[in-house]
Amino acid sequence: LRRQILSSSLLESLTTPHGVDRYLEILKPSYSLSDGRAEVLDVERRSVDTVTLTTRPNRRFAGFEAGQFVRVGVEINGVRETRCYSPASAAGRTDQVELTIKSHPGGKVSNYLREHAQPGMFFELSDADGDFHLPAERPERILLISAGSGITPVLAILRTLLAEGHAGPIGFLHYTPGADHHPYREELERIARENPNVALAVSYTREPADELGIEGHFSAAHLNALAPEHGEYETFACGPEPLLDAVRARWAGDGIEHRLHVESFTPPLLVAAPASGGTVRFADSGVEVSDDGNTLLEQAEAAGLNPEHGCRMGICRSCTCKVRAGVVRNALTGDVLEITDGEIQLCISSPAGDVELEL
Ligand SMILES: Cc1cc2nc3c(=O)[nH]c(=O)nc-3n(C[C@H](O)[C@H](O)[C@H](O)COP(=O)(O)OP(=O)(O)OC[C@H]3O[C@@H](n4cnc5c(N)ncnc54)[C@H](O)[C@@H]3O)c2cc1C
Ligand code: FES
């Protein structure tokens, strides 16, 4: 191991200024010493607005728990963009990860991948993270609820349970505008046919009801059709806020919130604040700007910096940055804090006066 470390640092010094990653990437693209990378092996556009990538991570990747997310970094027009995606494949393999990405109107990364992803493409891949995952001690009864791209983490949970031979009841309730928007329709129907313990209901929100009478958005009728004793199930829900709000309200009304786990992919509404009149100093870069009222992540990017980030919504913590001193507003809650030698998440913080950051 010592010899490996020595030779890698020697190689690093010989290859400056590009760094060993870049050279190894040219020589053998999947081999990277310091960063996680993945190679796209297969690309499928199974629905009108998604792309499904089968990828092979390099050796740095330590795997994931079903339901967790990874950060994917791609370079678009010379700018490195990072977003979070939840593997849809069963957990337990470190050599293959499936990602399904839904394109958003005007979305940079989702549309780039939907349009340009092809076998042989490489991107950065972080370690897996996130508290939304199947617990180590598997619950006997599990209910999965998803809408749109929120299907990915709950599908990972379903596939993992099936791979483990889980015998307990599993309910799966999915919402999507129509069959042409559903990248996993055939697989889920086959799973439900072949596994008597799996009950599946899909609501095509823009199409007529199915044979179970499932139509429209989340309702008590859907729950009754699929899992009438839902209080006995551990429930994992992922989708847009309106779905999660409806599910939370129902579970709270039934006094069973502790059995509900939710994850949202949608950026939250930030508390708007006018420019504070303060100065933002990015000390390590020697850059100074007048506060324009946006988040510190946006202000750093507008100043030409490229801070580490992922979800841009306060979940992944990858934008955590040291504050030497300053007054900062939490853009989720509106709370203002005076900080000396502390840490903030740049994506959900805006200045409320002068701020000096180690960036
Ligand atoms: C933990 C986590 C896991 C995720 N897993 C997946 C996944 O498996 N598959 C997947 O497709 N996406 C997933 N996402 C969402 C993904 O990270 C990006 O937000 C999404 O791909 C849009 O990125 P973009 O660059 O195309 O859009 P941007 O250029 O960042 O934004 C463009 C516009 O789209 C809006 N927008 C951005 N994200 C969303 C969203 N999720 N829903 C509605 N509007 C949005 C923005 O408000 C903006 O107006 C996940 C997000 C998180 C936080
Ligand atoms: S970018 Fe994910 S917490 Fe800020």
CSV table of all heavy atoms in Angstrom, one decimal, residues 244-302:
chain,number,residue,atom,x,y,z
A,244,LEU,N,-46.3,14.5,-1.3
A,244,LEU,CA,-45.7,14.3,0.0
A,244,LEU,C,-46.5,15.0,1.1
A,244,LEU,O,-46.8,14.4,2.2
A,244,LEU,CB,-44.2,14.7,0.1
A,244,LEU,CG,-43.3,14.0,-0.9
A,244,LEU,CD1,-41.9,14.5,-0.7
A,244,LEU,CD2,-43.4,12.5,-0.7
A,245,ASP,N,-47.1,16.2,0.8
A,245,ASP,CA,-47.9,16.9,1.7
A,245,ASP,C,-49.2,16.0,2.0
A,245,ASP,O,-49.6,15.9,3.2
A,245,ASP,CB,-48.3,18.2,1.2
A,245,ASP,CG,-47.2,19.3,1.3
A,245,ASP,OD1,-46.2,18.9,2.0
A,245,ASP,OD2,-47.3,20.3,0.7
A,246,ALA,N,-49.8,15.5,0.9
A,246,ALA,CA,-51.0,14.7,1.1
A,246,ALA,C,-50.7,13.4,1.9
A,246,ALA,O,-51.5,13.1,2.8
A,246,ALA,CB,-51.6,14.4,-0.3
A,247,VAL,N,-49.6,12.8,1.7
A,247,VAL,CA,-49.2,11.6,2.4
A,247,VAL,C,-48.9,11.9,3.9
A,247,VAL,O,-49.5,11.3,4.8
A,247,VAL,CB,-48.0,10.9,1.7
A,247,VAL,CG1,-47.5,9.8,2.6
A,247,VAL,CG2,-48.4,10.4,0.3
A,248,ARG,N,-48.1,13.0,4.1
A,248,ARG,CA,-47.8,13.4,5.5
A,248,ARG,C,-49.1,13.7,6.2
A,248,ARG,O,-49.2,13.3,7.4
A,248,ARG,CB,-47.0,14.7,5.5
A,248,ARG,CG,-45.5,14.4,5.2
A,248,ARG,CD,-44.7,15.7,5.5
A,248,ARG,NE,-43.5,15.8,4.8
A,248,ARG,CZ,-43.2,16.4,3.7
A,248,ARG,NH1,-44.2,17.1,3.1
A,248,ARG,NH2,-42.0,16.4,3.1
A,249,ALA,N,-50.0,14.4,5.6
A,249,ALA,CA,-51.3,14.8,6.3
A,249,ALA,C,-52.1,13.5,6.7
A,249,ALA,O,-52.6,13.4,7.8
A,249,ALA,CB,-52.1,15.7,5.4
A,250,ARG,N,-52.1,12.6,5.8
A,250,ARG,CA,-52.9,11.3,6.1
A,250,ARG,C,-52.2,10.5,7.2
A,250,ARG,O,-52.9,10.1,8.1
A,250,ARG,CB,-53.0,10.5,4.8
A,250,ARG,CG,-53.6,9.1,5.0
A,250,ARG,CD,-55.1,9.3,5.4
A,250,ARG,NE,-55.6,8.1,6.0
A,250,ARG,CZ,-56.4,7.2,5.4
A,250,ARG,NH1,-56.8,7.5,4.2
A,250,ARG,NH2,-56.8,6.2,6.0
A,251,TRP,N,-50.9,10.4,7.1
A,251,TRP,CA,-50.2,9.6,8.2
A,251,TRP,C,-50.3,10.4,9.5
A,251,TRP,O,-50.4,9.7,10.6
A,251,TRP,CB,-48.7,9.4,7.7
A,251,TRP,CG,-48.5,8.0,7.1
A,251,TRP,CD1,-47.8,7.0,7.7
A,251,TRP,CD2,-49.0,7.6,5.9
A,251,TRP,NE1,-47.8,5.9,6.8
A,251,TRP,CE2,-48.5,6.2,5.7
A,251,TRP,CE3,-49.8,8.1,4.9
A,251,TRP,CZ2,-48.9,5.4,4.6
A,251,TRP,CZ3,-50.1,7.3,3.8
A,251,TRP,CH2,-49.7,6.0,3.6
A,252,ALA,N,-50.2,11.7,9.5
A,252,ALA,CA,-50.3,12.5,10.7
A,252,ALA,C,-51.7,12.3,11.3
A,252,ALA,O,-51.9,12.1,12.5
A,252,ALA,CB,-50.0,14.0,10.5
A,253,GLY,N,-52.7,12.4,10.4
A,253,GLY,CA,-54.1,12.2,10.9
A,253,GLY,C,-54.3,10.9,11.5
A,253,GLY,O,-55.1,10.7,12.5
A,254,ASP,N,-53.6,9.9,11.0
A,254,ASP,CA,-53.7,8.5,11.6
A,254,ASP,C,-52.8,8.3,12.8
A,254,ASP,O,-52.7,7.2,13.3
A,254,ASP,CB,-53.5,7.4,10.5
A,254,ASP,CG,-54.5,7.5,9.4
A,254,ASP,OD1,-55.6,8.0,9.7
A,254,ASP,OD2,-54.2,7.0,8.3
A,255,GLY,N,-52.0,9.3,13.1
A,255,GLY,CA,-51.0,9.2,14.3
A,255,GLY,C,-49.9,8.2,14.0
A,255,GLY,O,-49.4,7.6,14.9
A,256,ILE,N,-49.5,8.0,12.7
A,256,ILE,CA,-48.5,7.0,12.4
A,256,ILE,C,-47.3,7.6,11.7
A,256,ILE,O,-46.7,7.0,10.8
A,256,ILE,CB,-49.1,5.8,11.6
A,256,ILE,CG1,-49.9,6.3,10.4
A,256,ILE,CG2,-49.9,4.9,12.5
A,256,ILE,CD1,-50.3,5.3,9.4
A,257,GLU,N,-47.0,8.9,11.9
A,257,GLU,CA,-45.9,9.6,11.2
A,257,GLU,C,-44.6,8.9,11.4
A,257,GLU,O,-43.8,8.9,10.5
A,257,GLU,CB,-45.7,11.0,11.7
A,257,GLU,CG,-46.9,11.9,11.7
A,257,GLU,CD,-47.5,12.0,13.1
A,257,GLU,OE1,-47.8,11.0,13.7
A,257,GLU,OE2,-47.7,13.1,13.6
A,258,HIS,N,-44.4,8.2,12.5
A,258,HIS,CA,-43.2,7.5,12.8
A,258,HIS,C,-42.9,6.4,11.8
A,258,HIS,O,-41.8,5.9,11.7
A,258,HIS,CB,-43.1,7.0,14.2
A,258,HIS,CG,-44.2,6.1,14.5
A,258,HIS,ND1,-45.5,6.5,14.7
A,258,HIS,CD2,-44.2,4.7,14.7
A,258,HIS,CE1,-46.3,5.4,15.0
A,258,HIS,NE2,-45.5,4.3,14.9
A,259,ARG,N,-43.9,5.9,11.1
A,259,ARG,CA,-43.8,4.8,10.1
A,259,ARG,C,-43.6,5.3,8.7
A,259,ARG,O,-43.6,4.6,7.7
A,259,ARG,CB,-45.0,3.9,10.2
A,259,ARG,CG,-45.2,3.4,11.6
A,259,ARG,CD,-45.7,2.0,11.7
A,259,ARG,NE,-44.7,1.1,11.2
A,259,ARG,CZ,-44.9,-0.2,11.2
A,259,ARG,NH1,-46.0,-0.7,11.7
A,259,ARG,NH2,-43.9,-1.0,10.8
A,260,LEU,N,-43.5,6.7,8.6
A,260,LEU,CA,-43.4,7.3,7.2
A,260,LEU,C,-42.0,7.9,7.0
A,260,LEU,O,-41.5,8.6,7.9
A,260,LEU,CB,-44.5,8.4,7.1
A,260,LEU,CG,-44.5,9.2,5.8
A,260,LEU,CD1,-44.8,8.3,4.6
A,260,LEU,CD2,-45.5,10.3,5.9
A,261,HIS,N,-41.4,7.6,5.9
A,261,HIS,CA,-40.1,8.2,5.5
A,261,HIS,C,-40.3,8.8,4.1
A,261,HIS,O,-40.8,8.2,3.2
A,261,HIS,CB,-39.1,7.1,5.3
A,261,HIS,CG,-39.1,6.1,6.5
A,261,HIS,ND1,-38.3,6.3,7.6
A,261,HIS,CD2,-39.8,5.0,6.8
A,261,HIS,CE1,-38.5,5.3,8.5
A,261,HIS,NE2,-39.5,4.6,8.0
A,262,VAL,N,-40.0,10.1,4.0
A,262,VAL,CA,-40.2,10.8,2.7
A,262,VAL,C,-38.9,11.4,2.2
A,262,VAL,O,-38.0,11.8,3.0
A,262,VAL,CB,-41.3,11.9,2.9
A,262,VAL,CG1,-42.6,11.4,3.2
A,262,VAL,CG2,-40.9,13.0,3.9
A,263,GLU,N,-38.9,11.6,0.9
A,263,GLU,CA,-37.8,12.3,0.2
A,263,GLU,C,-38.4,13.1,-0.9
A,263,GLU,O,-39.2,12.6,-1.7
A,263,GLU,CB,-36.8,11.3,-0.3
A,263,GLU,CG,-35.7,12.1,-1.1
A,263,GLU,CD,-34.3,11.6,-0.8
A,263,GLU,OE1,-33.7,12.0,0.3
A,263,GLU,OE2,-33.8,10.7,-1.5
A,264,SER,N,-37.9,14.4,-1.0
A,264,SER,CA,-38.4,15.2,-2.1
A,264,SER,C,-37.2,15.5,-3.0
A,264,SER,O,-36.1,15.8,-2.5
A,264,SER,CB,-38.9,16.5,-1.5
A,264,SER,OG,-39.1,17.5,-2.5
A,265,PHE,N,-37.4,15.6,-4.3
A,265,PHE,CA,-36.4,15.9,-5.3
A,265,PHE,C,-36.5,17.4,-5.7
A,265,PHE,O,-35.7,17.9,-6.4
A,265,PHE,CB,-36.5,15.1,-6.6
A,265,PHE,CG,-36.2,13.7,-6.5
A,265,PHE,CD1,-36.4,12.8,-7.6
A,265,PHE,CD2,-35.7,13.1,-5.3
A,265,PHE,CE1,-36.1,11.5,-7.5
A,265,PHE,CE2,-35.4,11.8,-5.3
A,265,PHE,CZ,-35.6,11.0,-6.4
A,266,THR,N,-37.6,18.0,-5.2
A,266,THR,CA,-38.0,19.3,-5.7
A,266,THR,C,-37.3,20.4,-4.9
A,266,THR,O,-37.4,20.4,-3.7
A,266,THR,CB,-39.5,19.5,-5.7
A,266,THR,OG1,-40.1,18.3,-6.0
A,266,THR,CG2,-40.0,20.6,-6.7
A,267,PRO,N,-36.7,21.4,-5.5
A,267,PRO,CA,-36.1,22.5,-4.8
A,267,PRO,C,-37.2,23.2,-3.9
A,267,PRO,O,-38.3,23.5,-4.4
A,267,PRO,CB,-35.6,23.5,-5.8
A,267,PRO,CG,-35.6,22.7,-7.1
A,267,PRO,CD,-36.6,21.6,-7.0
A,268,PRO,N,-36.9,23.6,-2.6
A,268,PRO,CA,-37.9,24.2,-1.8
A,268,PRO,C,-38.0,25.7,-2.1
A,268,PRO,O,-37.2,26.3,-2.8
A,268,PRO,CB,-37.2,24.1,-0.4
A,268,PRO,CG,-35.8,24.0,-0.7
A,268,PRO,CD,-35.6,23.4,-2.0
A,269,LEU,N,-39.1,26.3,-1.7
A,269,LEU,CA,-39.3,27.7,-1.8
A,269,LEU,C,-38.4,28.4,-0.8
A,269,LEU,O,-38.4,28.1,0.4
A,269,LEU,CB,-40.7,28.1,-1.6
A,269,LEU,CG,-41.7,27.9,-2.7
A,269,LEU,CD1,-43.1,28.3,-2.3
A,269,LEU,CD2,-41.2,28.6,-4.0
A,270,LEU,N,-37.5,29.3,-1.3
A,270,LEU,CA,-36.6,30.0,-0.3
A,270,LEU,C,-37.3,31.3,0.2
A,270,LEU,O,-38.1,31.9,-0.6
A,270,LEU,CB,-35.3,30.3,-1.0
A,270,LEU,CG,-34.5,29.1,-1.5
A,270,LEU,CD1,-33.2,29.5,-2.1
A,270,LEU,CD2,-34.3,28.1,-0.4
A,271,VAL,N,-37.0,31.7,1.4
A,271,VAL,CA,-37.5,32.9,2.0
A,271,VAL,C,-36.9,34.1,1.3
A,271,VAL,O,-35.6,34.2,1.3
A,271,VAL,CB,-37.3,33.0,3.5
A,271,VAL,CG1,-37.8,34.3,4.1
A,271,VAL,CG2,-37.9,31.8,4.2
A,272,ALA,N,-37.7,34.9,0.5
A,272,ALA,CA,-37.0,36.0,-0.2
A,272,ALA,C,-36.5,37.0,0.7
A,272,ALA,O,-37.1,37.3,1.8
A,272,ALA,CB,-38.1,36.6,-1.2
A,273,ALA,N,-35.4,37.6,0.4
A,273,ALA,CA,-34.8,38.7,1.2
A,273,ALA,C,-34.2,39.7,0.3
A,273,ALA,O,-33.5,39.3,-0.7
A,273,ALA,CB,-33.8,38.1,2.2
A,274,PRO,N,-34.3,41.0,0.6
A,274,PRO,CA,-33.6,42.0,-0.2
A,274,PRO,C,-32.1,42.0,0.0
A,274,PRO,O,-31.7,41.4,1.0
A,274,PRO,CB,-34.2,43.3,0.3
A,274,PRO,CG,-34.7,43.0,1.6
A,274,PRO,CD,-35.0,41.6,1.7
A,275,ALA,N,-31.4,42.5,-0.9
A,275,ALA,CA,-29.9,42.6,-0.8
A,275,ALA,C,-29.7,43.4,0.5
A,275,ALA,O,-30.3,44.3,0.9
A,275,ALA,CB,-29.3,43.4,-1.9
A,276,SER,N,-28.7,42.8,1.3
A,276,SER,CA,-28.5,43.4,2.7
A,276,SER,C,-27.6,44.6,2.7
A,276,SER,O,-27.6,45.3,3.7
A,276,SER,CB,-27.8,42.3,3.5
A,276,SER,OG,-26.5,42.1,3.0
A,277,GLY,N,-27.0,44.9,1.6
A,277,GLY,CA,-26.1,46.1,1.6
A,277,GLY,C,-24.7,45.7,2.1
A,277,GLY,O,-23.8,46.5,2.1
A,278,GLY,N,-24.5,44.4,2.4
A,278,GLY,CA,-23.2,43.9,2.9
A,278,GLY,C,-22.3,43.5,1.8
A,278,GLY,O,-22.7,43.5,0.6
A,279,THR,N,-21.1,43.1,2.2
A,279,THR,CA,-20.1,42.7,1.2
A,279,THR,C,-19.8,41.2,1.5
A,279,THR,O,-19.6,40.8,2.6
A,279,THR,CB,-18.8,43.5,1.4
A,279,THR,OG1,-19.1,44.9,1.2
A,279,THR,CG2,-17.7,43.0,0.5
A,280,VAL,N,-19.7,40.4,0.4
A,280,VAL,CA,-19.3,39.0,0.5
A,280,VAL,C,-17.9,38.9,0.1
A,280,VAL,O,-17.6,39.2,-1.1
A,280,VAL,CB,-20.2,38.1,-0.4
A,280,VAL,CG1,-19.9,36.7,-0.1
A,280,VAL,CG2,-21.7,38.4,-0.1
A,281,ARG,N,-17.1,38.3,1.0
A,281,ARG,CA,-15.6,38.1,0.6
A,281,ARG,C,-15.3,36.7,0.6
A,281,ARG,O,-15.5,35.9,1.5
A,281,ARG,CB,-14.8,38.8,1.7
A,281,ARG,CG,-13.4,39.2,1.2
A,281,ARG,CD,-12.7,40.0,2.2
A,281,ARG,NE,-11.6,39.3,2.8
A,281,ARG,CZ,-10.5,38.9,2.1
A,281,ARG,NH1,-10.3,39.3,0.9
A,281,ARG,NH2,-9.5,38.2,2.7
A,282,PHE,N,-14.9,36.2,-0.6
A,282,PHE,CA,-14.5,34.8,-0.8
A,282,PHE,C,-13.0,34.8,-0.6
A,282,PHE,O,-12.2,35.1,-1.5
A,282,PHE,CB,-14.9,34.3,-2.2
A,282,PHE,CG,-16.4,34.4,-2.5
A,282,PHE,CD1,-16.9,35.4,-3.3
A,282,PHE,CD2,-17.3,33.5,-1.9
A,282,PHE,CE1,-18.2,35.5,-3.6
A,282,PHE,CE2,-18.6,33.6,-2.1
A,282,PHE,CZ,-19.1,34.6,-3.0
A,283,ALA,N,-12.6,34.6,0.7
A,283,ALA,CA,-11.2,34.9,1.1
A,283,ALA,C,-10.2,34.1,0.3
A,283,ALA,O,-9.2,34.7,-0.1
A,283,ALA,CB,-11.1,34.6,2.6
A,284,ASP,N,-10.4,32.8,0.1
A,284,ASP,CA,-9.3,32.0,-0.5
A,284,ASP,C,-9.1,32.4,-2.0
A,284,ASP,O,-8.1,32.2,-2.5
A,284,ASP,CB,-9.7,30.5,-0.5
A,284,ASP,CG,-9.7,29.9,0.9
A,284,ASP,OD1,-9.3,30.7,1.8
A,284,ASP,OD2,-10.2,28.8,1.1
A,285,SER,N,-10.2,32.9,-2.6
A,285,SER,CA,-10.1,33.3,-4.0
A,285,SER,C,-9.7,34.7,-4.2
A,285,SER,O,-9.5,35.2,-5.3
A,285,SER,CB,-11.4,33.0,-4.8
A,285,SER,OG,-12.0,31.8,-4.3
A,286,GLY,N,-9.8,35.5,-3.1
A,286,GLY,CA,-9.5,36.9,-3.2
A,286,GLY,C,-10.5,37.7,-4.0
A,286,GLY,O,-10.2,38.7,-4.7
A,287,VAL,N,-11.8,37.2,-3.9
A,287,VAL,CA,-12.8,37.9,-4.7
A,287,VAL,C,-13.8,38.5,-3.7
A,287,VAL,O,-14.1,37.9,-2.7
A,287,VAL,CB,-13.6,36.8,-5.6
A,287,VAL,CG1,-14.8,37.4,-6.3
A,287,VAL,CG2,-12.6,36.2,-6.6
A,288,GLU,N,-14.3,39.7,-4.1
A,288,GLU,CA,-15.3,40.4,-3.2
A,288,GLU,C,-16.4,40.9,-4.0
A,288,GLU,O,-16.2,41.4,-5.1
A,288,GLU,CB,-14.5,41.6,-2.5
A,288,GLU,CG,-14.9,41.8,-1.1
A,288,GLU,CD,-14.0,42.9,-0.5
A,288,GLU,OE1,-14.3,44.1,-0.7
A,288,GLU,OE2,-13.0,42.5,0.2
A,289,VAL,N,-17.6,40.7,-3.5
A,289,VAL,CA,-18.8,41.2,-4.3
A,289,VAL,C,-19.8,41.9,-3.3
A,289,VAL,O,-19.7,41.6,-2.1
A,289,VAL,CB,-19.6,40.0,-5.0
A,289,VAL,CG1,-18.7,39.4,-6.1
A,289,VAL,CG2,-20.1,39.0,-4.1
A,290,SER,N,-20.6,42.7,-3.8
A,290,SER,CA,-21.7,43.3,-3.0
A,290,SER,C,-22.9,42.3,-3.0
A,290,SER,O,-23.2,41.8,-4.1
A,290,SER,CB,-22.2,44.6,-3.6
A,290,SER,OG,-21.1,45.5,-3.6
A,291,ASP,N,-23.4,42.1,-1.9
A,291,ASP,CA,-24.5,41.2,-1.7
A,291,ASP,C,-25.7,41.6,-2.7
A,291,ASP,O,-26.1,42.7,-2.7
A,291,ASP,CB,-25.0,41.1,-0.3
A,291,ASP,CG,-26.3,40.4,-0.1
A,291,ASP,OD1,-26.5,39.4,-0.9
A,291,ASP,OD2,-27.2,40.7,0.7
A,292,ASP,N,-26.2,40.6,-3.5
A,292,ASP,CA,-27.3,40.9,-4.4
A,292,ASP,C,-28.6,40.2,-3.9
A,292,ASP,O,-29.6,40.2,-4.6
A,292,ASP,CB,-27.0,40.5,-5.8
A,292,ASP,CG,-26.8,39.0,-6.0
A,292,ASP,OD1,-27.0,38.2,-5.0
A,292,ASP,OD2,-26.4,38.6,-7.1
A,293,GLY,N,-28.6,39.6,-2.7
A,293,GLY,CA,-29.8,39.0,-2.2
A,293,GLY,C,-30.0,37.6,-2.5
A,293,GLY,O,-30.8,36.9,-1.9
A,294,ASN,N,-29.2,37.0,-3.5
A,294,ASN,CA,-29.3,35.6,-3.8
A,294,ASN,C,-28.6,34.8,-2.8
A,294,ASN,O,-27.9,35.3,-1.9
A,294,ASN,CB,-28.7,35.4,-5.2
A,294,ASN,CG,-29.6,35.9,-6.3
A,294,ASN,OD1,-30.8,35.7,-6.2
A,294,ASN,ND2,-29.0,36.5,-7.3
A,295,THR,N,-28.7,33.4,-3.0
A,295,THR,CA,-27.9,32.6,-2.0
A,295,THR,C,-26.4,32.7,-2.3
A,295,THR,O,-26.0,33.2,-3.3
A,295,THR,CB,-28.3,31.1,-2.3
A,295,THR,OG1,-27.9,30.7,-3.6
A,295,THR,CG2,-29.8,30.8,-2.1
A,296,LEU,N,-25.7,32.3,-1.2
A,296,LEU,CA,-24.2,32.4,-1.4
A,296,LEU,C,-23.7,31.5,-2.4
A,296,LEU,O,-22.7,31.8,-3.1
A,296,LEU,CB,-23.6,32.2,0.0
A,296,LEU,CG,-23.7,33.4,1.0
A,296,LEU,CD1,-23.5,33.0,2.4
A,296,LEU,CD2,-22.7,34.5,0.6
A,297,LEU,N,-24.3,30.4,-2.7
A,297,LEU,CA,-23.9,29.5,-3.8
A,297,LEU,C,-24.1,30.3,-5.1
A,297,LEU,O,-23.1,30.3,-6.0
A,297,LEU,CB,-24.7,28.2,-3.8
A,297,LEU,CG,-24.4,27.2,-4.9
A,297,LEU,CD1,-23.0,26.8,-4.9
A,297,LEU,CD2,-25.3,26.0,-4.8
A,298,GLU,N,-25.2,30.9,-5.3
A,298,GLU,CA,-25.5,31.6,-6.6
A,298,GLU,C,-24.5,32.8,-6.7
A,298,GLU,O,-24.0,33.1,-7.8
A,298,GLU,CB,-26.9,32.1,-6.6
A,298,GLU,CG,-27.9,31.0,-6.8
A,298,GLU,CD,-29.4,31.4,-6.6
A,298,GLU,OE1,-29.6,32.2,-5.6
A,298,GLU,OE2,-30.2,30.9,-7.3
A,299,GLN,N,-24.2,33.5,-5.6
A,299,GLN,CA,-23.3,34.7,-5.7
A,299,GLN,C,-21.9,34.2,-6.0
A,299,GLN,O,-21.2,34.9,-6.7
A,299,GLN,CB,-23.4,35.5,-4.4
A,299,GLN,CG,-24.8,36.0,-4.1
A,299,GLN,CD,-24.9,37.2,-3.2
A,299,GLN,OE1,-24.1,38.1,-3.3
A,299,GLN,NE2,-25.8,37.2,-2.3
A,300,ALA,N,-21.5,33.1,-5.4
A,300,ALA,CA,-20.2,32.6,-5.7
A,300,ALA,C,-20.1,32.2,-7.2
A,300,ALA,O,-19.1,32.5,-7.8
A,300,ALA,CB,-19.9,31.3,-4.8
A,301,GLU,N,-21.1,31.5,-7.7
A,301,GLU,CA,-21.0,31.1,-9.1
A,301,GLU,C,-21.1,32.3,-10.0
A,301,GLU,O,-20.3,32.4,-11.0
A,301,GLU,CB,-22.2,30.2,-9.4
A,301,GLU,CG,-22.1,28.8,-8.8
A,301,GLU,CD,-23.3,27.9,-8.9
A,301,GLU,OE1,-24.4,28.4,-9.1
A,301,GLU,OE2,-23.1,26.7,-8.8
A,302,ALA,N,-21.9,33.3,-9.7
A,302,ALA,CA,-21.9,34.5,-10.5
A,302,ALA,C,-20.6,35.3,-10.5
A,302,ALA,O,-20.2,36.0,-11.4
A,302,ALA,CB,-23.0,35.5,-10.0
